[in-house]
Amino acid sequence: MARKLSFEKGGDFIAETRREVELYLAPRRIRLRGRLQLYAKTVVAFAIWAASWATLILIRPGLLLGLGGLVAGTILIGFCVQHDANHGAYFRTRRFNHLMGWTADAMLGISSYAWRVKHNVAHHTYTNVDGYDDDVTQTPFVRLVPTQTPRPWYRLQHLYVWPLYSLMVIRWQIGADITALIRGRIANSTLRMPRGWDLAGLVTGKALFIGWAVVAPLLFYPWWVVAIGYVGFTMITSLVTATTFQLAHCVEEAEFASAEQLAAVKKPWAVHEVETTVDFCPRNPLLTWVLGGLNYQIEHHLFPRVAHTHYPRIAEIVKRNAVKHGIRYTAQPSLRAALGSHQRHLRTLGRMGIPADIEMG
Ligand SMILES: [Zn+2]
């Protein structure tokens, strides 16, 4: 079994930043405003989702129109509701957060129980660490970290990665989460079999998802229309989800590490998070609203239990303190710049370490 990784705790940067963020969040009206914005967005997300699904089933205006709304509602639920809730940022109590986070099971078809280990533990604790962060440990399909072994086919990864991104959610819906539960781990993090309410949530969530996404549509449409609709809907939401997460971590400006490198250079955890993460489009309020603040992933990684509606203000504090303490803080000015950087990262890692004869052949 691989070694247990640990980071230095504390440090001046996070101590000062946390103090300032706590000061900003101290007035009750600020916290209340953030919560209300989050809850209002939840209402919009569910309304778009429910109206689109009901229209698809009852009015049947054509797949394109109905699926467009369903994709928009699902993306909002994924980014702005389940993500906050599964981090414990939505309500004060764990039970209610888990209940709201269960929207991942029922609406997205993926186990929120497994997600909390994949995302909150593996990704958020060991960001961009080869073998520990499941999001960047996808060999032998793609090479995202420089320490991963080069393979000839990675030379084309900047092209074939996009269809792979669009299949990520389907993989989880049809059982990658269950396989991880049986294996007992995600990357290097332990994943225990769910029991009691967790198990009930997993089973009823899968059943509900299959019910609304497959069984109910089959009562109104031929099977092949349902198949095309389901695969199309899932591929688009998957592509948007995977790309959003990758733009924050798998870009030229982000740091990567192996377990050995981390052990050699003991770093405070907060510094590691800022250096392995990149913000994008900080001045785009529409994108910030739709992505649930995931374009402010530096702030999200430092304060995952704070509602995402506060991130733009928190970013000012984090940036100022990062500059003060000499920590590299990167924010891509546009979506185009972020996508370009991701594409160049994939190309560079695809080519790096390939012997010359393969390069020429
Ligand atoms: Zn997160």
Side-chain angles (χ1 to χ4, degrees), residues 83 87 119 124 245 300:
H83 183 227
H87 271 300
H119 185 73
H124 269 264
F245 280 104
H300 171 58

Side-chain angles (χ1 to χ4, degrees), residues 234-309:
T234 308
M235 284 178 80
I236 297 168
T237 46
S238 185
L239 183 64
V240 175
T241 306
T243 306
T244 301
F245 280 104
Q246 295 299 67
L247 291 188
H249 301 291
C250 288
V251 285
E252 291 178 313
E253 295 79 2
E255 292 282 337
F256 296 86
S258 65
E260 291 71 29
Q261 287 168 335
L262 267 191
V265 194
K266 283 265 180 194
K267 251 185 209 177
W269 174 81
V271 175
H272 172 81
E273 292 305 308
V274 176
E275 290 179 347
T276 52
T277 311
V278 168
D279 285 1
F280 58 92
C281 305
R283 287 179 210 286
N284 187 329
L286 179 66
L287 204 71
T288 302
W289 193 87
V290 173
L291 298 185
L294 283 173
N295 51 333
Y296 283 100
Q297 284 231 30
I298 295 176
E299 289 67 29
H300 171 58
H301 273 255
L302 294 180
F303 300 98
R305 293 173 65 99
V306 173
H308 74 259
T309 41

